[in-house]
Amino acid sequence: DAMVIQNPRYQVTQFGKPVTLSCSQTLNHNVMYWYQQKSSQAPKLLFHYYDKDFNNEADTPDNFQSRRPNTSFCFLDIRSPGLGDAAMYLCATSRDRIAVEAFFGQGTRLTVV
Amino acid sequence: DAKTTQPPSMDCAEGRAANLPCNHSTISGNEYVYWYRQIHSQGPQYIIHGLKNNETNEMASLIITEDRKSSTLILPHATLRDTAVYYCIVRVLDTGNQFYFGTGTSLTVIP
């Protein structure tokens, strides 16, 4: 059974049109992460939530925002997608900050046209 | 930031042991070595982690050198389903430290 669920698996959006990707988890984990993975590259951490505490990576563009309305859900908002934002977006969770393991969803592949 | 160096690609014959090296020469005393793998079109999956001692679980073995500057992930009997990108990560097991991925090794298991 999927524990970290990302919807949709594939998303097509227009250049400059805001888009939201969603992630839900059934693990009741405190930490939720968002990664961006471009073709043939490693996942790159964008930000994470520890409970309601938002932590942005220093090099994450302002175009990327996130919301976590409750423990189970986390959203990635891209305010004005550019062609360079086409990528796989991965959501992950961990029990807490010192947890050994992070659990990843299947990802959402974003195409910008 | 990633602090590891891995070969970009490797091949392994099916049924043989796959030995994936990782260099982490600047590792700190409180940093653990983690291995994850990512099968095509899926999210990364945890394999194993260790600090100083060698570790083994149902998926793999992890050998860490005495000076902790390098490690090797061993898949004892590689199968076609082990074809994936393998990431070596160093991480402090402490508050606030995250999972930063390096470039990884693309392992192809050949029939």
Side-chain angles (χ1 to χ4, degrees):
Chain A
D1 291 338
M3 297 178 288
V4 181
I5 303 161
Q6 293 188 244
N7 284 309
R9 288 292 310 276
Y10 301 91
Q11 175 74 55
V12 180
T13 191
Q14 291 181 333
F15 182 94
K17 183 175 181 180
V19 65
T20 295
L21 309 182
S22 69
C23 176
S24 64
Q25 54 130 338
T26 60
L27 298 164
N28 205 35
H29 282 175
N30 284 322
V31 189
M32 294 188 77
Y33 309 83
W34 279 104
Y35 288 82
Q36 178 193 62
Q37 185 173 26
K38 295 187 177 180
S39 181
S40 300
Q41 296 184 20
K44 180 180 182 297
L45 182 63
L46 295 173
F47 27 60
H48 77 277
Y49 274 95
Y50 178 65
D51 197 12
K52 296 182 180 180
D53 181 27
F54 177 72
N55 298 270
N56 201 24
E57 292 297 305
D59 57 353
T60 298
D62 292 340
N63 198 27
F64 292 87
Q65 305 286 322
S66 186
R67 296 170 284 133
R68 189 178 185 187
N70 54 52
T71 300
S72 300
F73 286 87
C74 195
F75 300 99
L76 170 62
D77 300 310
I78 308 177
R79 293 193 295 189
S80 181
L83 298 179
D85 296 326
M88 174 76 83
Y89 289 88
L90 293 160
C91 174
T93 74
S94 63
R95 186 188 70 245
D96 51 46
R97 279 175 164 163
I98 63 171
V100 164
E101 186 174 353
F103 295 82
F104 283 80
Q106 297 270 56
T108 294
R109 183 166 296 283
L110 179 69
T111 300
V112 182
V113 297
Chain B
D1 288 337
K3 297 170 61 174
T4 60
T5 304
Q6 299 176 252
S9 63
M10 292 181 63
D11 292 338
C12 177
E14 188 178 17
R16 305 296 293 268
N19 297 283
L20 294 96
C22 180
N23 183 288
H24 31 80
S25 58
T26 60
I27 193 169
S28 302
N30 61 348
E31 286 183 311
Y32 285 69
V33 179
Y34 286 76
W35 284 84
Y36 276 73
R37 75 177 182 184
Q38 186 175 23
I39 295 171
H40 183 63
S41 297
Q42 296 184 20
Q45 174 193 23
Y46 166 82
I47 302 173
I48 199 167
H49 77 287
L51 182 62
K52 296 180 187 178
N53 300 321
N54 298 336
E55 303 288 341
T56 296
N57 63 21
E58 65 277 5
M59 290 181 69
S61 295
L62 174 60
I63 308 298
I64 302 174
T65 58
E66 192 168 343
D67 63 7
R68 302 206 328 119
K69 293 186 177 183
S70 65
S71 61
T72 301
L73 178 74
I74 301 173
L75 308 178
H77 306 287
T79 70
L80 299 179
R81 288 176 293 182
D82 293 322
T83 293
V85 178
Y86 288 77
Y87 294 102
C88 171
I89 300 167
V90 294
R91 173 179 180 247
V92 175
L93 195 64
D94 197 353
T95 300
N97 197 268
Q98 308 313 321
F99 295 91
Y100 296 106
F101 288 82
T103 52
T105 296
S106 178
L107 174 70
T108 301
V109 180
I110 302 168

